[in-house]
Amino acid sequence: MSELVPGGNLPLPDGVLRLRVAGPFDVSALVTDRGGKVGGDGDFVFYNQPDAPGVRLSGDSLAVDPVRLRPGATRVTVVVSAAEPGTPLGRLPAPRLDVCDVSGRAVARFTPPRPGPETVLLLAELYQRGAGWKLRAIGQGYADGLAGLARDFGVDVVDDGPQAAPGPDSDGFLGLVNSARAQAGVSPVSSDARLASAARAHASAMAAMGRLSAEGRDGVSVHQRITAAGYAYVTVGEHLVSGPRTPAEFVAYCLEAGQARRTLLDPGFAHLGLAHVDAGDRYWTALWARPLTPGELSRTVDEVVALTNGERARAGLAPLAGDPPLARAAQAHCADMVARDFYDHTSPGGAQPWDRAAAAGSRRRTIGENIACGQRSPAEVVDGWMNSPGHRANILKPEFTHIGVGFTGGGRAGTYWAQVFGG
């Protein structure tokens, strides 16, 4: 049996799989396609709808038969929430996922880091890879409730409980933004109450200091405010501006400046939150983001591997193969850097890259590691590594044959990346 860490994955045996989460939790599942969206409301398996093709919920367990999933389904995401609606998961024991094969033999176990204020946890996912299926441990908190999570996956859910509603557009800001995006041929964004809450907190922090800053006097960064508000993202952008008095002036200012214009018109963003606070001057914070889903995380990691292998191909080197233990080590280090607020190859407890690789189950004799923070895309991070002699040397080292990639959004720098190489 394999003990997984966040980001770790392993091949699954054929046949029906049983996934159990014991304790004071409700278990649910989302069946999605390659785009990370459900095919219809019937793809959401939960206590009021316990059956879908290939998936059945019974008590605290899911039975999943990949070959019987609906046509086009390539992923099953396992979700847990508190059995008592609205209860933060941080008040409960950490949920533990146990996976067994059709004979009852234990295949894998995963206990994520203890959640915080989130009410929902993306625990793990089963996903198709070639002709087989694999299991990936996630452990990503989600504060918008089960209905909000379902909506982000494309489910049309009616929910009478509390949820993060889109922010109002009483000042017309969203209309101005989407008009500019439409003229540029870019899809619209929608307002998000969690981003708006983080924007208000940061605008207030800047007003209290009387200056623009990515951190407040309390040492909390704008990105940490986003994750504290319960928004897990795969990509993020921000405008921190003082001066404009109206939304129209703010949008006009952003459209005139190079990087600010690129952020406002970035097709990668789906949600927006805006706030301003007056303290003599008017301090604005606009936050742009795209939510993290299992599909988005997979695509991000795969793109980093593809770009890395593209650089090796240009140098006449063989491509690196994906390696589950190295991926577990990379993902765990990214999550650790966010959780413990550090940025280093050496963890606060003294662990080095080869220690983390060994702990994740790697038996590679040679280990190397690249880390980065703050980059907003796979292309940006790989380009940055290639322009740094030491990181470039790792990417182009002939002795390396395998790679694992990690990514976590949040923390002081906003994004954290890792490559762990093995040979």
Side-chain angles (χ1 to χ4, degrees):
M1 184 189 68
S2 296
E3 290 273 1
L4 296 178
V5 297
N9 61 76
L10 82 165
L12 290 169
D14 295 335
V16 178
L17 297 155
R18 182 170 177 263
L19 299 91
R20 181 171 184 256
V21 182
F25 305 103
D26 282 335
V27 185
S28 53
L30 290 146
V31 182
T32 56
D33 55 25
R34 294 189 185 280
K37 296 293 185 180
V38 298
D41 296 351
D43 283 344
F44 183 25
V45 177
F46 64 116
Y47 50 86
N48 278 342
Q49 184 172 271
D51 290 285
V55 183
R56 179 175 178 79
L57 173 64
S58 179
D60 60 7
S61 299
L62 286 164
V64 180
D65 188 352
V67 300
R68 295 185 179 275
L69 295 174
R70 65 164 175 83
T74 60
R75 194 178 304 269
V76 179
T77 302
V78 181
V79 180
V80 295
S81 54
E84 184 66 31
T87 301
L89 291 171
R91 297 181 186 175
L92 304 175
R96 190 185 80 186
L97 174 68
D98 289 289
V99 182
C100 297
D101 65 13
V102 67
S103 69
R105 180 182 63 88
V107 174
R109 177 179 295 162
F110 172 52
T111 304
R114 190 181 184 88
E118 300 89 354
T119 58
V120 171
L121 190 73
L122 300 177
L123 186 58
E125 63 176 357
L126 287 71
Y127 63 101
Q128 189 174 29
R129 179 56 58 91
W133 283 74
K134 302 182 76 173
L135 173 73
R136 176 182 285 115
I138 302 175
Q140 175 67 57
Y142 198 95
D144 200 12
L146 198 58
L149 172 70
R151 288 189 183 94
D152 283 349
F153 277 76
V155 179
D156 185 13
V157 177
V158 176
D159 179 32
D160 295 328
Q163 55 185 275
D169 191 33
S170 58
D171 56 9
F173 175 72
L174 185 63
L176 291 168
V177 166
N178 282 332
S179 175
R181 288 172 70 90
Q183 292 178 31
V186 178
S187 59
V189 292
S190 60
S191 56
D192 185 276
R194 296 161 296 177
L195 294 179
S197 174
R200 281 192 297 273
H202 199 71
S204 297
M206 293 193 299
M209 294 189 298
R211 60 183 175 86
L212 300 178
S213 176
E215 290 187 9
R217 282 198 185 112
D218 55 4
V220 178
S221 76
V222 63
H223 306 107
Q224 289 170 314
R225 298 186 201 282
I226 296 172
T227 51
Y231 191 105
Y233 59 81
V234 71
T235 186
V236 68
E238 64 282 332
H239 289 116
L240 308 178
V241 177
S242 64
R245 304 303 299 177
T246 67
E249 290 180 10
F250 179 86
V251 172
Y253 168 83
C254 292
L255 289 173
E256 290 174 359
Q259 182 55 53
R261 178 184 178 87
R262 287 190 290 274
T263 298
L264 191 147
L265 301 179
D266 191 327
F269 295 133
H271 295 139
L272 165 67
L274 175 78
H276 63 76
V277 173
D278 292 334
D281 208 345
R282 175 164 287 185
Y283 293 88
W284 298 80
T285 298
L287 301 175
W288 311 75
R290 185 173 193 85
L292 178 71
T293 66
E296 291 284 1
L297 179 59
S298 295
R299 282 189 289 275
T300 297
V301 167
D302 290 347
E303 189 173 348
V304 172
V305 174
L307 290 168
T308 299
N309 280 331
E311 296 293 347
R312 287 177 65 89
R314 279 185 282 276
L317 298 171
L320 300 170
D323 184 278
L326 298 183
R328 290 196 291 270
Q331 187 64 37
H333 191 50
C334 289
D336 192 31
M337 288 190 288
V338 170
R340 293 202 277 178
D341 194 17
F342 75 98
Y343 177 67
D344 204 300
H345 291 288
T346 305
S347 70
Q352 300 289 339
W354 42 90
D355 299 319
R356 292 188 290 270
S362 175
R363 296 185 177 180
R364 304 288 169 192
R365 300 181 67 179
T366 304
I367 296 293
E369 182 182 75
N370 286 343
I371 59 174
C373 64
Q375 294 80 4
R376 305 303 172 89
S377 70
E380 185 180 349
V381 73
V382 174
D383 184 63
W385 280 327
M386 287 301 293
N387 284 309
S388 167
H391 298 99
R392 179 187 179 93
N394 272 339
I395 289 174
L396 301 183
K397 188 171 182 176
E399 291 79 9
F400 287 145
T401 57
H402 291 77
I403 187 173
V405 173
F407 167 83
T408 300
R412 194 170 301 277
T415 58
Y416 290 77
W417 309 78
Q419 292 176 310
V420 180
F421 305 92

